[in-house]
Amino acid sequence: MKKFNIRKVLDGLTAASSSSSATAQPGTPRENDVVQETLQSEHFQLCKTVRHGFPYQPSSMAFDPVQKILAIGTQTGALRLFGRAGVECYCQHESNAAVIQLQFLINEGALVSALADDSIHLWNLRQKIPAILHSLKFNRERITYCHLPFQSKWLYIGTERGNIHIVNVESFTLSGYVIMWNKAIELSTKTHPGPVVHISDNPMDEGKLLIGFESGIVVLWDLKCKKADYRYNYDEAIHSVAWHHEGKQFVCSHSDGTLTTWNVRTPAKPAQIITPHGKQPKDGKKPEPCKPILKVEYKTTRAGDPFMVLSGGLSYDTVGRRACLTVMHGKSTAVLEMDYPIVDFLTLCETPYPNDFQEPYAVVVLLEKDLVVIDLGQIGYPIFENPYPLTIHESPVTCCEYFADCPAELIPALYSVGCRQKRQGYSKKEWPISGGNWGQGTQSYPEIIITGHADGSIKFWDASALMLQVLYKLKTAKVFERARGKEEKPNTDIVDEDPFAIQTLSWCPESRMLCVAGVSAHVIVYRFSKQEITTEVVQLLEVRMQCEFSEVDSPDPGGEQTPTLPTPGASSSPQESELPTQPSTGSNSSDGPRDNIPCLQVRSSPLKQSPGNQVELVIQLVWVSGEPPQQITSLAINSSYGLVVFGNSNGLAVVDYLQKTLLFNMGTSELYSPSDPYQRQPRSPRKAKPSGATCDSNDGSNASEDRCRSPTSGKSWRELPTVSFSFEIRLSYRLPFSLTTNPFHFYMRCFLISFCLSSCCPDARDNSFTRSRSSSVASIDRESREAISSFHFCESFPRKTDSLVSPCLLVGTTHGSVMMVALSLPPSGDQRLQQPVGIASCGTLVKLKGGILTMALLDATGTLLPPFFEQWYDPNASDEEKEKSRKRRPASPPSSQESQDTHFAILCSEKQAKVVALPSQTRIYKHSITETSFVLRADVVQMAGANCIACFCANGHIMTLSLPSLRPLLDVNYLPLTDMRIARTFCFSNLGQALYLTSPTEIQRITYSQETCDNLQEMLSELFTPVETPEAPNRGFFKGLFGGGAQSLDREDLFGETAAGKASRSLAQHIPGPGNMEGMKGAASGVVGELARARIALDERGQKLGELEERTAAMMASAESFSKHAHDMMLKYKDKKWYQL
């Protein structure tokens, strides 16, 4: 264990780090005061763990009926595999090409994927992290359809030219056997039949292959004779084909909404033509054409009528109707409407054998944004309750927080209130996709993920043990009145859509207090209760925040003149700044500007609140003289103090949610002391205004045209050269970085945001959940102000002269200033509810480059000092129960050595990190995190019994720094910023965990802990489990006698190299999978050759049984011989006397 002195800078750092490190400052701790740092670089390693959520942009689907595993492919080349609840797996094709089709090697632990770049891949699913064993890239033909018969190693591949190639899945080599399109169709046909859209073998005769071409031609090909037995022609294009299990009939779906049923031996015309959704004319004419039937499946049952399931085929006059799945069973037809367009569907059956009664029991429907499983065994076809976390994107995610190692009783409490929100009417049967096994990891601490959404909802997720399950959903929009129509939409909104969207949130897991801020400049405080209540009147507090920069000339750079700013008061009592708790009478007439009007209307009727988070207080910022309130950029709540603090580009406000009063409302500039060296020098373009910067809650002046003077250039914004640059930040969520005062940096960051949104995020709905009405100039104007970016409640030394700790608040700004605000709390009990809380600004603590992202506090031993909290108690319980459960944490003991620094403030900005000793306020350590980029997210986290700073930069680097010495421990180039979604949702948590929204529908979890990476294999779930393949159907005596059963085919004799020869080398290129050849052969034999090995083992067992029978027969013959000799001896001596022997 290495010890680091607080006074000295560590040796051995890199040149960049050492050059930015600071030397010891006067007032640092004494020489014998040391902090033992246990974290080393060996404790860190970065890797992905699991991905949760619905597969983004799904394109194909497959199901293994024996292993009961579902596979979904996407348009970005991703594969998601699902088993029982909690069994999920994600893997990615390197080419990122769309997955057009998937085929399981049923019960062999392998999967074949066909991609849009004309490549096919064999995946090994017998390992926890699937890997590609073989790949085959076609060079001259485009792949359109694949078919792998059950228990076969030969894969049929149809192409756009109409040809069919055959691939050996064990070696992934092409056979010389090719079915050419010109030999499959009639010689008299003058046109090309089109791409191959279907391939399947006759269920009762493996030697007959059914080939469907897009033009409407279907061919039954004899594999042995290499010729077409029958050809079936129809005028309409074909989309899919389905066999009857007896192999005598098949059904085709067409582009005009018809289904044609064909008898195999009568190709002249269809046996039946139906239009499921067409209107039947009375005069017997052909029904009106309908939309194409994209897919049909034909499944039989032993005891009843067959099922015919199809997608599409609706009438053209059903404009605006949602996508439907049609289930035809006997004479009944059920049309099931879906919420999203249908991508694919599969019918789940009891048997994997195509030549047996299928006995369908469920239909898996893959939609564009959902996965639905329908129960075919119950009346009304109810759906199964989905156990997967596929509703993350139910409304677009706008913010995300991650809490690891939460209180143990928290997840059961959230689940108990969330289980009452579940829908009714689900199928009573168990979820049919039930394969795989859970991992056996040792990670047992509780983890919770909170997601805020564009519709104002907040979801709590149980993320323990690499799983994800929704616990509880909170709808914040219930607090407000909803406009019933567009004509009733209030014109006070500051966003065009999603006015209830969650901007940021602050949650105290111990007290279960929740505070959320929305894009309409509103803050809601929630308490957790297990009892249902009805609130007659929602407590409302309206806050008027507006800061006006006045004309203050900048001093000459060479002089010592200091502009005079008003000194903030030592405290602000509720009487001085309290606003009415009832909505104020505002003006919203067409004659004058809007004033004192909130953006949303709080509901006036009684509010019924279910068990869970219940509204304690609603805080709304109001319009000021025609200017809308600025959106909230930072938020914090402290349950021990009973305070909520929030800030924006105008300043900050502190609210006492116990007394429901506003305590403090001050502009950012007023937080600086008059002699503060970091004080900002404001400048206003309006010459008529009087001198002196003010931030009066009653001032109604307009602040949208404020300009801030750049201290680096000595010129105001309007004095800069005109730049031809049109830009508008049309984002309503808080930017994860601030804009520096350097104009060049400002425009470069504007360009970065514009580039990310235009090129990387074309879906504005997913990446920007609101659209601002402000102009480009106003957008630049607001971002150039110094906004509040971070808060941290603590108990420390607000001033240099303090010798005892007291409650205080650290305030960070987008321009890198960190200021102290002292809090004076009355005694607990009734006095806390009656006496006001005193607040005083103590000036600037330190200045950093870039906006402040996170702050924390350590004691003299390097232990993290979290904010004080109050233990949870049910506010609706009896008084006795409240007193039993309500326990306030004891205050920290006073310092016994007045001259010694006992606390260290950890401060991290977009560019650098600093450690400042308190109360001396001297800088101990300094580290430059990045010079060319900027930090998007930083958190002080606990890991391996110690603390560190975790950072995510815009250039994709993830870094960790030790505390308090700021030694670099990890620096990995992981994920470049290609999407603002990542910047908005990336967050770190304790114990080496982190996550971000990798797509609009998926959460990617990662770890930077070496211990978690080492145990990852044990923690991951298993997809493949040894299961016996069901027995083949019994052909029966007469079918076996007269040859009526299924006809087998030795495909090796037809497709092998001996009979068919070698395929052209230029047709496709074989690409070996990862690993050496021996390992690949072993994996291939383990995956694909399992059946062959089983047959060999069976032959060996039969041979041994035969030898045993021979030995048994020999023993029986010997026993019979012995018995015969014994019998002869008995007869010989039977009648003789003893003396005759």
Side-chain angles (χ1 to χ4, degrees), residues 490 492-494 499 519-521 597-601 620-623 628-629:
T492 56
D493 289 356
I494 58 176
V519 295
S520 296
I597 301 173
C599 299
L600 300 175
Q601 186 68 36
Q620 288 185 289
L621 302 187
V622 297
W623 287 65

Side-chain angles (χ1 to χ4, degrees), residues 389-667:
L390 303 183
T391 59
I392 294 173
H393 64 287
E394 189 175 17
S395 176
V397 177
T398 56
C399 70
C400 192
E401 294 295 337
Y402 191 5
F403 299 87
D405 200 14
C406 299
E409 69 278 1
L410 198 53
I411 290 179
L414 290 170
Y415 180 80
S416 64
V417 297
C419 64
R420 308 179 189 181
Q421 300 175 335
K422 290 186 177 180
R423 292 173 48 192
Q424 303 296 326
Y426 290 111
S427 172
K428 297 180 181 178
K429 297 180 182 177
E430 293 184 359
W431 181 251
I433 306 169
S434 56
N437 286 321
W438 295 319
Q440 304 295 326
T442 58
Q443 181 176 318
S444 59
Y445 50 85
E447 300 173 77
I448 291 178
I449 296 173
I450 303 179
T451 54
H453 299 265
D455 62 353
S457 61
I458 296 174
K459 292 182 180 179
F460 294 79
W461 305 82
D462 179 8
S464 308
L466 295 186
M467 298 184 185
L468 194 68
Q469 179 185 8
V470 66
L471 294 172
Y472 169 61
K473 180 180 179 180
L474 172 65
K475 296 180 180 180
T476 64
K478 287 184 176 181
V479 180
F480 304 101
E481 301 283 0
R482 286 181 175 268
R484 297 181 180 178
K486 293 184 179 179
E487 64 280 356
E488 297 183 25
K489 186 175 181 179
N491 57 1
T492 56
D493 289 356
I494 58 176
V495 290
D496 286 340
E497 57 186 20
D498 299 328
F500 310 110
I502 305 300
Q503 180 109 350
T504 183
L505 59 88
S506 176
W507 187 51
C508 177
E510 290 79 9
S511 65
R512 306 181 192 176
M513 292 294 300
L514 174 67
C515 186
V516 299
V519 295
S520 296
H522 63 274
V523 176
I524 309 177
V525 181
Y526 288 94
R527 282 188 184 273
F528 188 87
S529 175
K530 294 183 178 181
Q531 300 181 20
E532 182 179 300
I533 62 170
T534 300
T535 303
E536 296 296 331
V537 178
V538 177
Q539 294 291 324
L540 172 63
L541 183 65
E542 292 182 351
V543 178
R544 182 183 175 96
M545 289 185 67
Q546 193 262 344
C547 185
E548 171 67 23
F549 286 112
S550 299
E551 181 69 24
V552 177
D553 293 331
S554 177
D556 182 26
E560 298 180 356
Q561 179 185 358
T562 302
T564 303
L565 290 177
T567 304
S571 66
S572 179
S573 66
Q575 289 78 10
E576 294 172 353
S577 58
E578 180 182 351
L579 292 179
T581 57
Q582 296 300 326
S584 57
T585 304
S587 62
N588 192 21
S589 63
S590 58
D591 299 331
R594 303 184 186 102
D595 193 52
N596 285 344
I597 301 173
C599 299
L600 300 175
Q601 186 68 36
V602 176
R603 66 182 294 169
S604 56
S605 58
L607 177 63
K608 183 180 179 181
Q609 304 198 64
S610 303
N613 291 104
Q614 298 172 350
V615 179
E616 174 81 4
L617 177 64
V618 178
I619 307 167
Q620 288 185 289
L621 302 187
V622 297
W623 287 65
V624 179
S625 300
E627 278 298 310
Q630 301 303 308
Q631 292 179 354
I632 295 167
T633 57
S634 186
L635 177 72
I637 187 171
N638 187 281
S639 59
S640 179
Y641 305 156
L643 300 179
V644 170
V645 57
F646 56 91
N648 57 16
S649 58
N650 284 338
L652 67 87
V654 182
V655 172
D656 185 341
Y657 66 79
L658 297 178
Q659 298 185 20
K660 312 293 189 295
T661 57
L662 176 67
L663 300 174
F664 192 73
N665 184 4
M666 183 174 287

Side-chain angles (χ1 to χ4, degrees), residues 634-928:
S634 186
L635 177 72
I637 187 171
N638 187 281
S639 59
S640 179
Y641 305 156
L643 300 179
V644 170
V645 57
F646 56 91
N648 57 16
S649 58
N650 284 338
L652 67 87
V654 182
V655 172
D656 185 341
Y657 66 79
L658 297 178
Q659 298 185 20
K660 312 293 189 295
T661 57
L662 176 67
L663 300 174
F664 192 73
N665 184 4
M666 183 174 287
T668 310
S669 62
E670 291 189 291
L671 294 174
Y672 293 95
S673 63
S675 58
D676 203 327
Y678 306 113
Q679 161 193 318
R680 289 193 44 78
Q681 300 167 10
R683 181 180 181 87
S684 172
R686 291 182 294 240
K687 305 294 183 180
K689 289 288 180 181
S691 178
T694 62
C695 186
D696 189 358
S697 61
N698 296 322
D699 190 354
S701 54
N702 194 325
S704 65
E705 297 296 329
D706 297 336
R707 296 292 185 272
C708 291
R709 182 180 179 85
S710 172
T712 58
S713 63
K715 295 182 179 182
S716 66
W717 283 97
R718 292 204 169 184
E719 294 171 329
L720 294 174
T722 303
V723 180
S724 178
F725 186 87
S726 176
F727 176 76
E728 179 178 356
I729 304 176
R730 301 181 68 83
L731 302 173
S732 61
Y733 49 83
R734 177 174 66 89
L735 294 177
F737 48 82
S738 69
L739 302 173
T740 64
T741 55
N742 189 318
F744 175 74
H745 291 171
F746 171 71
Y747 284 117
M748 287 301 295
R749 296 202 181 184
C750 291
F751 173 76
L752 173 63
I753 303 173
S754 178
F755 172 77
C756 290
L757 293 179
S758 60
S759 62
C760 302
C761 312
D763 189 354
R765 171 72 176 176
D766 292 331
N767 297 286
S768 176
F769 55 84
T770 58
R771 295 192 298 273
S772 174
R773 292 177 178 170
S774 58
S775 64
S776 300
V777 175
S779 299
I780 295 175
D781 210 12
R782 283 197 302 272
E783 294 303 329
S784 65
R785 302 180 192 170
E786 186 172 16
I788 305 298
S789 62
S790 180
F791 292 115
H792 182 71
F793 283 102
C794 58
E795 297 216 359
S796 187
F797 307 93
R799 304 171 185 85
K800 289 185 178 181
T801 57
D802 290 341
S803 59
L804 300 178
V805 296
S806 62
C808 55
L809 174 67
L810 286 170
V811 180
T813 72
T814 54
H815 290 163
S817 296
V818 178
M819 290 162 281
M820 273 281 195
V821 176
L823 307 175
S824 177
L825 297 172
S828 59
D830 295 338
Q831 297 183 53
R832 174 63 184 85
L833 301 177
Q834 296 173 0
Q835 298 181 12
V837 177
I839 302 178
S841 176
C842 303
T844 304
L845 176 65
V846 70
K847 177 82 172 183
L848 283 77
K849 292 182 181 179
I852 303 300
L853 297 178
T854 188
M855 299 175 286
L857 199 67
L858 303 181
D859 65 7
T861 64
T863 304
L864 186 67
L865 297 176
F868 279 16
F869 58 83
E870 185 179 56
Q871 291 290 350
W872 175 79
Y873 67 95
D874 197 327
N876 300 318
S878 62
D879 294 338
E880 295 180 0
E881 294 179 359
K882 287 183 182 180
E883 293 300 326
K884 290 180 181 179
S885 59
R886 189 171 187 175
K887 298 178 181 179
R888 181 185 175 92
R889 288 190 58 182
S892 58
S895 175
S896 58
Q897 300 178 7
E898 298 183 2
S899 61
Q900 179 182 353
D901 287 330
T902 58
H903 287 174
F904 303 105
I906 311 300
L907 312 169
C908 184
S909 72
E910 297 169 338
K911 291 289 187 179
Q912 58 185 195
K914 289 184 180 181
V915 177
V916 177
L918 299 176
S920 66
Q921 299 187 5
T922 55
R923 187 188 69 196
I924 304 299
Y925 290 104
K926 172 186 173 183
H927 177 74
S928 179

